Amino acid sequence: MGSYLIVHQAPSLAVSHENPKLGHRSANYHPTIWGDHFLAYDNSDVVKENNLCEMEPQQPPHEVLKEEVRKMFIAVPDKSSKKLDLIDAINRLGVAYHFESEIDTSLLAIYGDYDEQINHVAGREEELYIVALRFRLLRAHGYHVSCDVFNRFKDSEGNFKESLAGNIRGLLSLYEAANYMVRDEDILDKALVFTTSQLKSMVPNLNSSLTTQINHALDMPIHKTVTRIGARQFMSLYQEDESHDPLLLSFAKLDFGIIQKLHQEELSDLTKWWKGLDTPNEIPFARDRLVECYLWSLAMYFEPKYSFARTTVAKLFALTSILDDFYDIYGTSDQLVVLDNAIHRWDISCLDELPKYMRPCYQALLSVFSEMEKESLKVVGKTKSVDFAISSMQAISRAYHEEASWIHDENLPTYDEYMKLALVTSTYPMIVTCSTVSMWGIVRENALDWVTKNPLILRVSSAIGRLMNDIVSFEAEQERGELASAVQCYMMQYGVSKEEAILELEKEITNAWKDVNQEWLLGSASGVSKIVLERIFNLARITYLTYKKEDWYTNSFSVTKDVIKSVLVDPIEM
Ligand SMILES: CC(C)=CCC/C(C)=C/COP(=O)(O)OP(=O)(O)O
């Protein structure tokens, strides 16, 4: 396998202004660090979705192990705390998708007994772990259980009992549970502050394994973790835990390896497609980030049955990233008018009107949606839904174009004006619409009606994306003439400093997560497609990883590289 690190260090992102007023600027983005790496994966030995029984020769068959895990799951009574541990491990190891109905049945029973079980608990410190775990698993699966269960761990002054201080397991469990808070749950706000400070203060005195575990949790709570990335990391922790189940671990590793091969094959095909666009030569000023885009799409859905949606959405992320660079960086005002019109006419005959450098991207865009039509015709016998997907792409183009006019006119909109467009250019409404259409046959038609109404969970996760992105990238964008950002517009509208603006926007992000949690619970209870809700949730998760410190999408020399390596390159050791 060839080396994937073509470029060994991040070049500066200094901007070159050929003509800042009219466009044709460049942000000097570094080239792809993956090159043709994924082309090298040989497709012939890939185990496909319908052939998951194939395995490494010395391993027990995948299906046999799966049935053993199923038996083990059924053998543990729902009333036992061991069941909660097992559900948690299965979830965190990334194999819950094999046991959905078993987990649902158990959690329904656990939910049925919730009040009774809680009444049995006297609030002893050692019970904090299990109370918090039960709460977390039920909320994660859509049950709106009450946070009053944590009252019993408070002292007469309403603070968490000091005696909980040494209870690492309980504190970690409460910390993870508190991340599922919705608005007006003061006790969970307090729990998060209390557990965070307690855990941080313990770190210097703990052994290295516990330190890793705590630092890891503080950095990335389970709730905000992308399943596939979390699974890879959790496997090592689980293996070190003396009470781990070797059979479950073997199954999880085997499953991870099989799916990794499928992902490598998909990336190999995508790389061939991407090479057809010849981005390094045709559009050298644009970000060449196919693999990073695939990671985003993989974060939304890793399971084999979503292969078509996953690859389609990866293509859309990659093409949208190029469009963003046309509008933000390189296109002149006149060229952008032609581009936006062509996207609105959605007709291959527009090709000749476009500047040469825009043509491959336009052509590829139209053909991705044609593939979507073909698939839709094949799966449900009609293509109407693809019109909604096209409209969502046209809406992004229009919004990008309006944003570009702010750049060219050196105009700073108010925060409210800015956010109206910026929620569209976050890409989430388009991605979720196209994703829903690409999952045809797996989701029901009314899911698309719901998505096109731009429900609250979609609006707030778009806000998380937009605000997190802007907080880490507004200064670099400003240097190259993109004045409008959430931070800048907020400062202007409210007459506050940069620091104050960022603080306020961070509060908005915290509240947005509470709304995502609330809408997850409400949506689950009111019959909204869980499959679609989960995609939106997962978008918020990959956003959190990508933008929590810097723009790790644009800069591939970052955690993104390590994550891609761990999920898509490094084989799993059995
Ligand atoms: C993986 C993803 C999210 C791909 C979609 C393309 C995109 C909009 C990336 C973010 O770029 P940016 O930070 O330059 O966005 P903006 O210009 O909207 O701030």
Side-chain angles (χ1 to χ4, degrees):
M1 197 75 60
S3 160
Y4 50 86
L5 280 182
I6 287 178
V7 178
H8 295 278
Q9 56 178 354
S12 97
L13 287 182
V15 70
S16 100
H17 295 266
E18 199 177 300
N19 186 342
K21 186 93 185 143
L22 294 177
H24 283 342
R25 296 166 299 134
S26 152
N28 293 337
Y29 294 129
H30 68 75
T32 170
I33 63 170
W34 298 101
D36 290 346
H37 175 77
F38 287 95
L39 272 187
Y41 290 95
D42 181 10
N43 302 351
S44 59
D45 67 348
V46 169
V47 180
K48 294 272 171 83
E49 176 192 354
N50 52 5
N51 191 20
L52 281 175
C53 307
E54 287 199 26
M55 66 224 68
E56 304 296 326
Q58 71 280 27
Q59 291 300 324
H62 183 266
E63 282 301 311
V64 172
L65 278 178
K66 185 162 97 181
E67 287 320 304
E68 289 303 313
V69 174
R70 198 187 310 282
K71 278 188 215 151
M72 180 172 91
F73 190 90
I74 292 165
V76 180
D78 290 337
K79 284 193 189 261
S80 151
S81 64
K82 282 208 174 97
K83 193 59 161 265
L84 293 170
D85 281 325
L86 188 56
I87 294 174
D88 191 32
I90 288 177
N91 273 321
R92 296 187 68 188
L93 289 166
V95 288
Y97 75 105
H98 288 295
F99 310 105
E100 272 169 13
S101 73
E102 288 83 359
I103 293 175
D104 285 350
T105 309
S106 286
L107 284 175
L108 188 61
I110 291 166
Y111 175 65
D113 281 352
Y114 190 70
D115 292 337
E116 187 204 325
Q117 293 195 24
I118 291 305
N119 290 336
H120 283 160
V121 178
R124 293 196 317 271
E125 284 122 43
E126 62 271 26
E127 285 155 346
L128 178 59
Y129 166 77
I130 209 71
V131 170
L133 176 61
R134 184 183 293 114
F135 174 88
R136 168 163 67 82
L137 291 178
L138 285 169
R139 284 233 173 158
H141 284 81
Y143 293 98
H144 198 164
V145 284
S146 165
C147 59
D148 291 348
V149 290
F150 298 112
N151 280 335
R152 65 196 67 226
F153 299 103
K154 294 202 307 195
D155 61 22
S156 54
E157 313 217 319
N159 298 316
F160 279 95
K161 292 177 188 166
E162 280 302 319
S163 54
L164 294 169
N167 180 354
I168 302 179
R169 225 170 152 236
L171 288 172
L172 260 177
S173 185
L174 178 58
Y175 164 83
E176 297 289 6
N179 274 283
Y180 284 82
M181 73 179 88
V182 302
R183 289 197 191 223
D184 302 322
E185 290 189 317
D186 293 351
I187 189 167
L188 295 183
D189 271 320
K190 272 190 173 174
L192 199 58
V193 175
F194 172 72
T195 52
T196 305
S197 92
Q198 289 292 333
L199 291 167
K200 272 188 186 161
S201 71
M202 284 173 167
V203 163
N205 307 316
L206 298 173
N207 66 33
S208 73
S209 162
L210 269 174
T211 304
T212 312
Q213 201 177 332
I214 291 178
N215 283 340
H216 187 78
L218 292 175
D219 187 46
M220 184 66 77
I222 295 169
H223 177 49
K224 291 182 178 164
T225 298
V226 171
T227 309
R228 193 77 183 156
I229 302 170
R232 186 70 153 106
Q233 287 162 342
F234 183 65
M235 272 173 207
S236 324
L237 281 181
Y238 187 65
Q239 188 157 0
E240 277 174 30
D241 179 350
E242 282 172 10
S243 64
H244 83 263
D245 188 291
L247 190 133
L248 175 58
L249 183 62
S250 296
F251 174 65
K253 285 183 170 182
L254 189 60
D255 196 67
F256 193 97
I258 290 171
I259 306 280
Q260 188 183 53
K261 283 187 179 168
L262 173 68
H263 293 160
Q264 287 165 342
E265 182 202 25
E266 288 175 358
L267 249 179
S268 174
D269 289 347
L270 282 169
T271 308
K272 280 180 216 146
W273 166 80
W274 188 242
K275 278 174 80 70
L277 271 82
D278 195 14
T279 46
N281 292 313
E282 294 289 337
I283 39 177
F285 57 86
R287 282 166 294 185
D288 189 347
R289 299 287 181 274
L290 176 71
V291 180
E292 290 75 8
C293 288
Y294 182 76
L295 178 72
W296 272 63
S297 151
L298 169 67
M300 288 175 69
Y301 14 43
F302 69 87
E303 300 90 330
K305 68 177 172 184
Y306 297 116
S307 185
F308 178 77
R310 183 166 47 248
T311 48
T312 301
V313 165
K315 287 178 183 175
L316 290 174
F317 273 132
L319 292 173
T320 309
S321 186
I322 295 179
L323 283 182
D324 186 42
D325 290 336
F326 287 166
Y327 280 109
D328 280 355
I329 311 260
Y330 198 74
T332 64
S333 309
D334 291 348
Q335 290 172 344
L336 297 181
V337 171
V338 178
L339 174 62
D340 191 32
N341 282 339
I343 290 180
H344 276 82
R345 280 167 52 203
W346 205 264
D347 187 337
I348 200 66
S349 68
C350 299
L351 205 61
D352 295 340
E353 295 162 24
L354 288 164
K356 189 169 161 289
Y357 73 88
M358 288 182 177
R359 290 178 198 164
C361 177
Y362 183 75
Q363 206 167 0
L365 196 62
L366 263 52
S367 79
V368 171
F369 286 82
S370 299
E371 284 163 22
M372 229 189 258
E373 273 177 358
K374 270 191 222 145
E375 181 72 9
S376 182
L377 202 59
K378 193 172 90 189
V379 178
V380 287
K382 49 189 175 182
T383 61
K384 184 87 195 80
S385 61
V386 182
D387 294 347
F388 290 96
I390 294 173
S391 298
S392 69
M393 186 46 99
Q394 290 168 328
I396 279 220
S397 171
R398 180 108 326 151
Y400 275 154
H401 195 197
E402 278 190 58
E403 285 187 351
S405 70
W406 293 334
I407 301 175
H408 293 158
D409 301 344
E410 293 180 21
N411 182 9
L412 194 62
T414 65
Y415 178 69
D416 299 333
E417 282 164 348
Y418 173 78
M419 285 305 281
K420 227 169 125 191
L421 285 193
L423 292 187
V424 179
T425 62
S426 71
T427 71
Y428 298 6
M430 179 276 288
I431 286 296
V432 173
T433 306
C434 295
S435 166
T436 307
V437 173
S438 305
M439 291 191 294
W440 243 207
I442 302 176
V443 292
R444 283 202 296 271
E445 274 188 53
N446 59 5
L448 185 61
D449 296 339
W450 178 80
V451 168
T452 51
K453 290 191 184 102
N454 199 12
L456 182 62
I457 189 168
L458 183 51
R459 294 199 303 276
V460 290
S461 34
S462 305
I464 293 173
R466 170 50 58 205
L467 298 178
M468 287 193 77
N469 181 338
D470 281 9
I471 288 172
V472 295
S473 61
F474 80 99
E475 277 164 333
E477 289 178 353
Q478 217 170 313
E479 268 182 44
R480 54 176 188 254
E482 293 170 50
L483 298 183
S485 69
V487 180
Q488 217 40 48
C489 296
Y490 195 95
M491 284 165 69
M492 190 195 69
Q493 181 165 335
Y494 296 102
V496 294
S497 67
K498 176 180 92 178
E499 290 72 21
E500 286 166 325
I502 291 177
L503 214 62
E504 285 309 311
L505 298 180
E506 281 173 348
K507 279 189 208 156
E508 285 198 22
I509 295 170
T510 304
N511 283 332
W513 272 104
K514 291 181 184 179
D515 290 338
V516 169
N517 293 343
Q518 175 78 45
E519 292 307 296
W520 166 253
L521 297 173
L522 283 177
S524 303
S526 63
V528 174
S529 164
K530 265 200 163 183
I531 294 176
V532 178
L533 281 172
E534 256 172 45
R535 296 327 31 107
I536 300 175
F537 224 124
N538 288 344
L539 260 178
R541 290 179 170 132
I542 184 69
T543 302
Y544 181 73
L545 175 76
T546 306
Y547 298 115
K548 77 189 150 87
K549 293 206 173 81
E550 287 170 40
D551 176 355
W552 286 337
Y553 167 69
T554 300
N555 176 12
S556 321
F557 296 90
S558 59
V559 166
T560 309
K561 184 183 83 182
D562 302 333
V563 163
I564 288 173
K565 214 167 147 307
S566 78
V567 171
L568 289 163
V569 179
D570 295 342
I572 196 105
E573 275 174 37
M574 291 303 294

